[in-house]
Amino acid sequence: MTVLEQGTITIHTENIFPIIKKSLYTDHEVFLRELVSNAVDAIAKLKMVSRSGEYSGDIGEPEITITVDKDNKTLSVTDNGIGMTADEVKKYINQVAFSSAEEFVEKYKANSDQSIIGHFGLGFYSSFMVARQVEIDTLSYQDGAQAVHWRCDGSPVFQLEDSGRIQRGTTITLTLMDEETEYLETSRIRQLIKTYCDFMPVPIKLEGETINRQKAPWRESPNNLTQEDYLELYRYLYPFQEEPLLWVHLNTDYPFIVNGILYFPKLKPDVDVTQGNIKLFCNQVFVSDHCEDIIPKFLMPLRGVIDSTDIPLNISRSALQTNRTVRKIADYVAKKVADRLKELYRDNRKEYIRCWQDIGTFVKFGSLNDDKFKKQVEDILIYRTTYTPETPNTEEKAVEVQVQTEAGDVWQDVASQTPENTDEKGRYYTTLSEYLERNKQRHENRVFYCTDETTQATYIQLHTSQGLEVLFLDSFIDSHFISFLEREHTDVKFSRVDAELDDNLIDKDNNSEIVDPKTNKTRSEEIKDLFTAALNKPKLTIRTESLKSENTPPAMVLLPEFMRRLQDMTALIQQQKAEFPEEHILLINTAHPLIQNLVNLSQGAIIQEGGESPSAELAKMICHHVYDLALIAQKGFDGEGMKDFVERSNQVLTRLTSN
């Protein structure tokens, strides 16, 4: 074997190997990713010279082979790509891609915690993190080329000599350090290939078996993919998860290159919107599980893949966040998401509504955090509502239209299908502008909303019974979103159904009551005095009103909007659960028969010697019970409160049955 050259690697490399071994990458395991990436590049270059006519030989079936030799502690990566000449080995291997150790240290000393993704030709040298010796055996595609063999033991000394290789391509052989022998286990190699190289477009073989998928659907044209293709990728990337709601295919090559598929998953109420789930690739090579610095933060809960060669992966996170190209890519991704949602809203309203409970969180979170996105989606923000479209008069019933189904033998009644703006349960959805337009005659620029359909059911029923439409703002993001809506619509007042009562709900005529000649008080004043004395709660405001609806309870608890929000904000700042405010309103419904009977009970009592009459005492107990029932409709009791409620309930029932 003829020694072609012996020397030292240039330039200023006396420090490069310690730097490589300690600082080049956070994880040693990425050496395999780098070597396989180089092999894929070598195969791609061969295809290019073949297409250009520079090479007329048979390129064969491209493949990369990984070989493990436990006895000799070696790991080899072989490709049948373009190969290298002796001069190319000197240029690309010996000169460390023209980067000196000093330049390397200066560039990365401030960001030593950041991994470098081989953008400076250093990918090959990552092998020295795990190997005590690295060898290159290579034969160029060029006619008459001489195969060469390069060897280096991790010092600045290398050896370059002729080789007897006869197959075009390159083999990198690592003799592993004793502490790195985990990479001699085939199960470990399979795991690394699956993690980093699964979607590389060349078959990667281990023990004669192809171990990577090769096809990267996000690099395909959307026209070539079926729905099942998209779902299959999602199931593979996120096993044991519910099916995604919809997806967005990213595909642009100007003014930057971005490919990808982003999925809208079903969201849980406890989702961490700061935790990214999108996988970052560079040329189909897996880089990271986190895209926090590349996509807008409101899209963090999305899942899927972003693949771009224009994202500078070798700079610090702080620099990445301010990088102009990265900001443009983030804007592009947000716009594509908005366009997809608008397309769905326009073309398939039923499907949009079906997905709204989950995608609504993305849309609202995006509106809160990104002005550009807010403007793009402001017309497709929808809310579930108590409104139901008027059905045609029975005398003017619409003509039934029937269509034949694909089966050809069943006829369906089109008129019986649910309206476009309803979900599968027949619940109606509306935009805010539609709500305001519908209700401007009754309550212009005022929105009634609820945050909990169950606990606020009584209040919702009270409003709907009088023809007042209520919006459901009951997702976990809506407490913040209501404030946002108020900033966006400064002329609109938002009132929660349990905050205050609209005049439409109160029977004003029924409040002009006859004054009791004995006490010179109205019936309302007597009721108020009765509850004030019975409950003895100085911070409780007691109001009396005659409510119109027949199905309203004898009493309701109201929480003034400003006070409730102040309490919620304080709890948020102090990172505590919001307590039920002591200062609230007990509204007594004077039109309810129970309240009228209660007044009669308290007044018809004969005062016995030694104090209060039994009927007056019972009246007080019933006042407590009425208040308890009103509280239950508004909040749950704690342990002590529930204990007191049960005891009082038993006492009331005992007294009533004894009478």
Side-chain angles (χ1 to χ4, degrees), residues 42-43 46 79-85 88 138-142 168-170:
I43 290 169
L46 180 66
D79 67 69
N80 56 356
I82 197 168
M84 288 183 286
T85 63
E88 287 169 334
T138 183
L139 174 62
S140 172
Y141 75 99
Q142 297 176 16
R168 182 201 66 240
T170 301

Side-chain angles (χ1 to χ4, degrees), residues 335-432:
K335 184 179 184 303
K336 288 291 289 184
V337 169
D339 289 345
R340 177 71 178 96
L341 294 173
K342 288 191 288 186
E343 174 192 43
L344 187 64
Y345 181 81
R346 181 188 68 240
D347 298 340
N348 193 342
R349 188 74 53 84
K350 281 278 190 188
E351 182 64 12
Y352 183 82
I353 288 174
R354 185 187 72 82
C355 298
W356 180 250
Q357 184 174 351
D358 293 280
I359 63 175
T361 302
F362 290 104
V363 177
K364 291 173 183 177
F365 191 48
S367 299
L368 288 169
N369 288 279
D370 189 295
D371 283 341
K372 289 181 182 176
F373 186 78
K374 177 196 71 179
K375 288 182 172 60
Q376 290 171 322
V377 299
E378 59 189 359
D379 294 332
I380 62 171
L381 280 163
I382 60 174
Y383 311 88
R384 184 159 70 89
T385 174
T386 57
Y387 172 76
T388 52
E390 291 184 10
T391 54
N393 189 296
T394 52
E395 296 179 2
E396 303 171 357
K397 190 174 181 181
V399 177
E400 290 186 351
V401 180
Q402 293 183 325
V403 295
Q404 196 169 17
T405 63
E406 291 180 5
D409 58 353
V410 180
W411 292 81
Q412 292 181 336
D413 181 4
V414 174
S416 66
Q417 296 176 2
T418 55
E420 182 185 41
N421 284 354
T422 57
D423 62 14
E424 68 279 359
K425 296 180 180 178
R427 300 177 300 189
Y428 198 81
Y429 284 76
T430 183
T431 64
L432 183 60

Side-chain angles (χ1 to χ4, degrees), residues 507-563:
D507 188 350
K508 295 292 185 182
D509 295 334
N510 208 19
N511 280 339
S512 55
E513 306 155 55
I514 301 172
V515 175
D516 186 334
K518 295 179 182 178
T519 61
N520 206 32
K521 290 182 179 180
T522 65
R523 177 58 64 94
S524 289
E525 289 172 335
E526 289 176 340
I527 294 170
K528 183 176 180 179
D529 288 348
L530 173 62
F531 275 85
T532 300
L535 299 178
N536 190 25
K537 291 182 177 291
K539 293 187 177 181
L540 177 67
T541 300
I542 297 176
R543 274 178 52 191
T544 53
E545 300 286 0
S546 176
L547 302 182
K548 287 182 178 180
S549 176
E550 295 179 359
N551 297 319
T552 50
M556 307 172 76
V557 168
L558 302 180
L559 301 175
E561 193 84 13
F562 173 76
M563 189 173 296

